[in-house]
Amino acid sequence: MDTFDDSTPGGVRDLFQDAAEPDKRVTIMLAAFEGWNDAGEAASDALKYMGRFWGSEKISTIDADEFYDFQFTRPVIKRNGSGQRRIKWPNTKISKASVPNSNLDIILVHGVEPSYKWRAYTAELVASAKELDVDCIVLVGALLADVPHTRPIPVTVTSDDDLVRESLEVEPSTYEGPIGIVGVLAEMGLLADIPTLSLWAAVPHYVGQSPSPKAQLALLSKLEEVLQVGVETQALIEESEAWERGVDELATEDPEVAAYVRQLEEAKDTVDLPEASGESIAREFERYLKKRRRE
């Protein structure tokens, strides 16, 4: 994946690139939150991976006292490099990285979903985005779903911003129901006139515990496409393959689980069959022509 061609049109970098100023920096905020929005911790792990890969540096935090119930999200005791014990409080870290050999700056927001004052919390994040001249907010989440671990992990991309939808050829979200902090931040961003984009990975619910390297890898792959960047993920690919083999072995030990996985595989394969229809091929050809015209 590290050989990704970042000149390919169709990502958010192209959308916010100023043709009159080709060297002008484009700033994208990536945000993921542990908790309800983070099945298998795939979303937060994907952001941590990118932060390590690009050597991100912390620029600020959001104070924990105002937003967390410490009986629910408890602080933990850890030892630092010198062996001293320190309390680590739940918080939200904002860090920054510059993608090498590009005009792209990434603002990484990683935290635990807060307990209180969601509107004030997201307003603070949006204010930070404004101060950092963020062009677009990309929200990353993961949810438990009826999908088989033996098939590619689906990643849904949606946006309620007209310009983003048209450029990236994605659909608006049709979900109705309870939401987490990711959904609130998406709306607050739009209200502040910052385009937003949401990526959600579907994690097999029968293996929803963390880590979930296959879902993490699927999110990283989609982020590469959306951001038009390359990320070295060979080690994660191997980890994902080992994870899948491990789940295979566990499934074969339980006939009921094995039968359920086969049922999910059949359902998934049946849904995928229409992708070979004439209408689908026509849509793909239309996307190809649009891409050629942009080139």
Side-chain angles (χ1 to χ4, degrees), residues 144-218:
L144 297 175
D146 294 328
V147 295
H149 72 279
T150 54
R151 299 293 187 266
I153 296 293
V155 177
T156 302
V157 183
T158 61
S159 177
D160 289 321
D161 181 88
D162 293 338
L163 182 61
V164 172
R165 283 206 310 271
E166 181 180 349
S167 175
L168 272 61
E169 299 178 352
V170 299
E171 299 296 324
S173 174
T174 58
Y175 172 77
E176 293 183 350
I179 60 172
I181 199 67
V182 167
V184 178
L185 181 54
E187 178 165 307
M188 292 293 284
L190 288 172
L191 290 174
D193 294 324
I194 303 176
T196 64
L197 181 71
S198 297
L199 278 63
W200 285 89
V203 177
H205 71 89
Y206 54 93
V207 281
Q209 65 273 20
S210 63
S212 186
K214 190 169 182 178
Q216 181 188 345
L217 185 62

Side-chain angles (χ1 to χ4, degrees), residues 29-84:
M29 175 179 278
L30 302 183
F33 301 88
E34 297 176 23
W36 194 76
N37 312 271
D38 195 21
E41 298 184 1
S44 55
D45 282 348
L47 254 68
K48 290 177 186 176
Y49 193 99
M50 283 190 151
R52 290 192 300 268
F53 181 75
W54 287 321
S56 64
E57 297 183 358
K58 183 173 73 173
I59 55 177
S60 65
T61 59
I62 293 181
D63 182 53
D65 286 355
E66 190 175 355
F67 299 110
Y68 291 98
D69 178 350
F70 296 130
Q71 289 184 321
F72 179 74
T73 308
R74 290 185 178 273
V76 296
I77 284 281
K78 289 194 173 185
R79 293 188 183 275
N80 60 22
S82 60
Q84 295 176 311

